[in-house]
């Protein structure tokens, strides 16, 4: 299993540009999440999904959109990039079975908006 | 979810036990204690979790006080590869696992 795969690894955007951060997982997990991590800080939840077709806002959703058309994929869309969105973005997934299912994280996308 | 307090940084000698404390005095009865770590530039990695009993796995041990207001993560024989930021998180065990990652403790294992 590849686990959680994020692309691209790095990206530089100009203010006002848009882009989609890709995330895919091959573990058949129902739950998927997007977090952002600013330098020296913890992770903040942007959006999450409990299954295909279902998404919901996390702590810091403004400026982002998500979709979940398949179990495997959970792309994050930035429509009008702003310098405040410079961050490292982590995608994660977890199972929905009984008992605790740990979060499995990708290795992140490092985004700079200038 | 209850808030946690961790020291911002700690040092440990290679081969010695690393004991990472966490205070969670407002933890409620249905909330678990979770530990994750983040090695530089990588996504966080799950370590261990517990409710009230002490837990041990191949990575670490988790000691939770009887009143559940604090806990300690123990890495029994720290190696240089254990250098990372360690996050203590308190949350209930509902499906969805929307965990809140705070600042964590930056553990530096030194030779």
């Amino acid at each position: 299993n590849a686990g959680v795969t994020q692309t691209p690894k790095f990206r530089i955007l100009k203010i006002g540009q848009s882009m989609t951060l890709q995330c895919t997982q091959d573990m058949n997990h129902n739950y998927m999440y997007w977090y952002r991590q600013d330098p020296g800080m913890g992770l903040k939840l942007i959006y999450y999904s409990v299954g295909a077709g279902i998404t919901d806002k996390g702590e810091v959703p403004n400026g982002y959109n998500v979709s979940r058309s398949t179990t495997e994929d959970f792309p994050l869309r930035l429509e009008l990039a702003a310098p405040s969105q410079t961050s490292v973005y982590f995608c994660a997934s977890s199972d929905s079975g009984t008992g605790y299912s740990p979060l499995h994280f990708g290795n992140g996308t490092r985004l700079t908006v200038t | 979810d209850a808030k946690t307090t961790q020291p911002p940084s700690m040092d440990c000698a290679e081969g010695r036990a690393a004991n990472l404390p966490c205070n969670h005095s407002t933890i409620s009865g249905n909330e678990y204690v979770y530990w994750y770590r983040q090695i530089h530039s990588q996504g966080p990695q799950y370590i261990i979790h517990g409710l009230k009993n002490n837990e041990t796995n191949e990575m670490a041990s988790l000691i939770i006080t009887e009143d559940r207001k604090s806990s300690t993560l123990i890495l029994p024989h720290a190696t240089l590869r254990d250098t990372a930021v360690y996050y203590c998180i308190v949350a209930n065990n509902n499906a969805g696992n929307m965990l809140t990652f705070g600042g964590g403790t930056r553990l530096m294992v030194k030779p």
Side-chain angles (χ1 to χ4, degrees):
Chain A
N1 286 352
V4 178
T5 303
Q6 292 185 239
T7 57
K9 288 185 170 56
F10 303 92
R11 184 71 187 268
I12 298 174
L13 281 182
K14 294 188 187 303
I15 295 172
Q17 285 186 321
S18 62
M19 77 164 293
T20 299
L21 284 68
Q22 301 290 348
C23 175
T24 188
Q25 52 93 7
D26 62 358
M27 297 172 282
N28 202 34
H29 285 168
N30 279 331
Y31 299 132
M32 296 188 74
Y33 317 81
W34 274 105
Y35 285 88
R36 61 175 285 175
Q37 184 174 33
D38 299 333
M41 307 294 285
L43 283 75
K44 293 184 177 180
L45 183 65
I46 305 171
Y47 270 96
Y48 67 98
S49 169
V50 300
I54 306 169
T55 62
D56 210 343
K57 296 178 181 178
E59 182 184 358
V60 289
N62 291 345
Y64 308 94
N65 280 300
V66 293
S67 59
R68 185 93 183 272
S69 57
T70 67
T71 299
E72 295 78 18
D73 300 308
F74 190 40
L76 178 72
R77 178 83 178 162
L78 283 70
E79 290 294 349
L80 290 170
S84 60
Q85 294 178 305
T86 293
S87 192
V88 181
Y89 291 84
F90 290 101
C91 178
S93 71
S94 66
D95 201 359
S96 57
T98 56
Y100 181 65
S101 173
L103 297 176
H104 296 259
F105 283 84
N107 281 328
T109 293
R110 284 148 185 79
L111 175 67
T112 301
V113 182
T114 61
Chain B
D1 294 339
K3 183 178 170 57
T4 62
T5 303
Q6 298 178 254
S9 64
M10 292 181 63
D11 290 343
C12 177
E14 188 178 19
R16 304 296 293 270
N19 298 290
L20 292 92
C22 180
N23 286 324
H24 31 79
S25 58
T26 60
I27 192 170
S28 62
N30 64 344
E31 289 183 316
Y32 286 67
V33 181
Y34 303 93
W35 283 85
Y36 281 73
R37 73 180 183 183
Q38 186 175 25
I39 296 170
H40 180 61
S41 299
Q42 298 179 19
Q45 174 192 25
Y46 167 78
I47 302 173
I48 199 167
H49 76 286
L51 181 63
K52 54 183 178 181
N53 297 322
N54 298 337
E55 302 288 343
T56 295
N57 63 20
E58 64 278 4
M59 291 182 69
S61 295
L62 174 60
I63 309 297
I64 302 174
T65 57
E66 192 168 342
D67 63 7
R68 302 209 320 124
K69 293 184 176 181
S70 65
S71 60
T72 301
L73 179 74
I74 301 173
L75 308 178
H77 305 287
T79 71
L80 299 179
R81 284 176 292 184
D82 292 321
T83 292
V85 177
Y86 287 77
Y87 297 100
C88 170
I89 303 163
V90 170
N92 62 43
N93 205 32
N94 288 344
N97 294 316
M98 285 168 283
L99 305 180
T100 299
F101 290 77
T105 295
R106 185 172 298 276
L107 175 68
M108 179 74 72
V109 180
K110 298 184 174 180

